Amino acid sequence: MKKKLIQLLIISALFLQFINLKAQPYVIDNEEIDGLKNAKLYVVMATEETDINNEYIDVFKENWKYCPYEIIEPKDILKYMKKGAYFMNMSVSFFSSTSTYCLSTRSCLNYELSIYTPKTSFLNKLNRNSSRIPNMGLDEIANKVAYIKLKLDDAKRFTYSEPLEGDFMGKGFILTSGSGYLKNYLQFLQTSLLEENFLNEKYDYCDEKEIFKLKSTILYVPSELLRKYSEDSKKPEENFYKMSEVVKEYKYPGKLEVISTEQINEMIQTSEENFYYLSLYTSYNNEIVTRNIVTITNSISGEIIYKETMSFGKTFSPKLFKNLSKLLIEGN
């Protein structure tokens, strides 16, 4: 019981962000980026009591080249808290003005895979009372260097802290999780850090050199994203969009294929040929305004070649293909 309490305290103080979210880049434009290049990155991942994260350790060994790293246990994170130390783990954010509402409904939780470094002010408070974790949010504790948004499975019931425990990528609660996705996330983060490419969550983006390849290749859509999350229907098949509904707005129906997240993970890890897959992320701001962020990823490089931000709903809609189709039709 005592050990569980300590873990929950660490989660509350270090992993949860009580922040006023504004549009932020995936790589934050600040002086901490230069420090990361020559530092050791501590990856907070449970390994002592479970082997569930072995696949993720292998992904780090094969793909993380930006700086040295070390896998540490969640219970040991305070031992490594010092000036110039950098950490990576999954975090969840909600909003101080509506935190009670968010915790009870999970309707405005943002999950991210974050890289951050502790602030001097937090370290001073920690040094003054090392036996007690200061009751502070991550925005007060640390400077965030980079992050990747993760898609919450709103169809499942769970407490806000459950996706942070056990599986490093929140498997079972986070839809865009798995070893393949993590490989592409790490590739994308490292490319962004090296190029200091500050891709902004608020603005749309398109790599014109690659996007038009979709005219002659398949775009894969994870089947898990097609859930309507309707609680009215008692027939499971009615809770998902049909293929005919999906391709209605997409003008290249022969080049669109719906497959499972597990299949995408396997293809990313094993396929030597490049393919493109769609992801959907839901983001909320302090007014609980929902934004759907649609991305298309290059499976070999992990780079995002297309990103569009929309404001309707918090689940998938076939209308997400409307602008993409228009771009492909009008492009050369």
Side-chain angles (χ1 to χ4, degrees):
M1 179 64 70
K2 184 177 179 182
K3 183 177 181 181
K4 181 66 174 178
L5 178 60
I6 292 174
Q7 289 177 335
L8 289 176
L9 283 173
I10 293 174
I11 290 172
S12 297
L14 298 176
F15 293 173
L16 301 181
Q17 307 171 49
F18 296 85
I19 59 177
N20 178 4
L21 275 186
K22 297 181 179 179
Q24 298 179 9
Y26 293 102
V27 174
I28 309 300
D29 185 6
N30 62 33
E31 60 186 13
E32 308 298 345
I33 293 176
D34 291 333
L36 178 61
K37 294 177 182 178
N38 302 309
K40 177 181 287 187
L41 178 66
Y42 295 103
V43 182
V44 186
M45 184 187 302
T47 61
E48 285 185 352
E49 299 179 0
T50 178
D51 59 1
I52 194 172
N53 290 317
N54 287 347
E55 62 175 331
Y56 300 128
I57 294 175
D58 291 339
V59 172
F60 269 93
K61 288 179 179 178
E62 295 173 7
N63 296 282
W64 186 260
K65 311 296 182 184
Y66 184 80
C67 65
Y69 74 92
E70 180 180 343
I71 306 292
I72 65 171
E73 296 292 323
K75 64 181 179 63
D76 295 330
I77 190 171
L78 290 183
K79 298 178 183 178
Y80 297 88
M81 279 286 170
K82 61 182 180 180
K83 185 176 181 180
Y86 290 79
F87 300 87
M88 176 188 286
N89 57 259
M90 190 166 68
S91 60
V92 57
S93 62
F94 45 92
F95 314 97
S96 57
S97 62
T98 56
S99 59
T100 302
Y101 171 78
C102 290
L103 285 174
S104 62
T105 66
R106 298 184 295 105
S107 64
C108 52
L109 299 179
N110 291 303
Y111 285 83
E112 299 170 352
L113 181 62
S114 305
I115 297 177
Y116 57 90
T117 183
K119 290 182 177 179
T120 301
S121 57
F122 165 69
L123 294 175
N124 290 339
K125 290 184 179 182
L126 188 63
N127 290 333
R128 287 198 297 269
N129 192 349
S130 58
S131 63
R132 181 177 179 274
I133 301 173
N135 185 21
M136 303 167 66
L138 188 59
D139 60 318
E140 298 174 276
I141 289 174
N143 293 314
K144 191 158 57 172
V145 178
Y147 68 90
I148 290 285
K149 282 196 170 295
L150 304 171
K151 174 61 178 173
L152 178 70
D153 187 351
D154 292 301
K156 295 187 176 181
R157 295 182 179 275
F158 52 87
T159 63
Y160 68 89
S161 62
E162 283 182 279
L164 304 177
E165 302 171 359
D167 190 289
F168 181 70
M169 292 293 291
K171 188 175 183 180
F173 302 112
I174 303 297
L175 292 179
T176 50
S177 67
S179 56
Y181 278 98
L182 180 60
K183 174 184 177 179
N184 278 173
Y185 292 154
L186 296 184
Q187 290 174 312
F188 174 65
L189 281 175
Q190 289 175 99
T191 299
S192 299
L193 287 165
L194 287 168
E195 299 178 356
E196 296 191 1
N197 178 25
F198 308 117
L199 185 60
N200 196 295
E201 181 181 308
K202 184 178 179 180
Y203 303 109
D204 295 344
Y205 168 79
C206 177
D207 183 339
E208 294 186 358
K209 292 182 179 179
E210 285 210 53
I211 194 63
F212 295 117
K213 293 179 182 179
L214 290 178
K215 287 187 173 184
S216 58
T217 190
I218 297 173
L219 173 61
Y220 291 97
V221 179
S223 56
E224 290 83 352
L225 296 184
L226 304 186
R227 183 185 291 275
K228 297 180 180 179
Y229 300 119
S230 173
E231 298 180 358
D232 299 328
S233 177
K234 295 182 180 181
K235 297 180 180 180
E237 65 273 12
E238 293 182 0
N239 291 330
F240 290 83
Y241 285 101
K242 297 178 181 178
M243 189 64 178
S244 59
E245 296 176 277
V246 174
V247 302
K248 185 177 180 180
E249 296 288 351
Y250 194 65
K251 305 305 179 182
Y252 301 90
K255 300 298 181 181
L256 189 73
E257 187 171 335
V258 177
I259 61 176
S260 70
T261 297
E262 288 187 2
Q263 288 175 292
I264 291 179
N265 270 301
E266 179 68 20
M267 289 169 63
I268 293 173
Q269 291 285 61
T270 61
S271 178
E272 295 182 0
E273 296 184 7
N274 178 53
F275 65 92
Y276 301 93
Y277 63 91
L278 181 140
S279 295
L280 175 67
Y281 308 95
T282 305
S283 180
Y284 307 91
N285 64 18
N286 204 43
E287 289 74 37
I288 318 301
V289 174
T290 305
R291 289 200 304 267
N292 271 331
I293 302 173
V294 186
T295 62
I296 297 175
T297 301
N298 179 315
S299 68
I300 294 295
S301 68
E303 293 190 52
I304 292 176
I305 68 163
Y306 179 84
K307 184 175 78 69
E308 185 177 354
T309 304
M310 302 178 177
S311 60
F312 53 82
K314 69 173 184 177
T315 59
F316 180 88
S317 169
K319 292 181 180 178
L320 296 173
F321 288 117
K322 186 175 182 179
N323 289 340
L324 175 60
S325 297
K326 183 179 180 181
L327 174 66
L328 294 175
I329 292 171
E330 295 178 352
N332 296 326

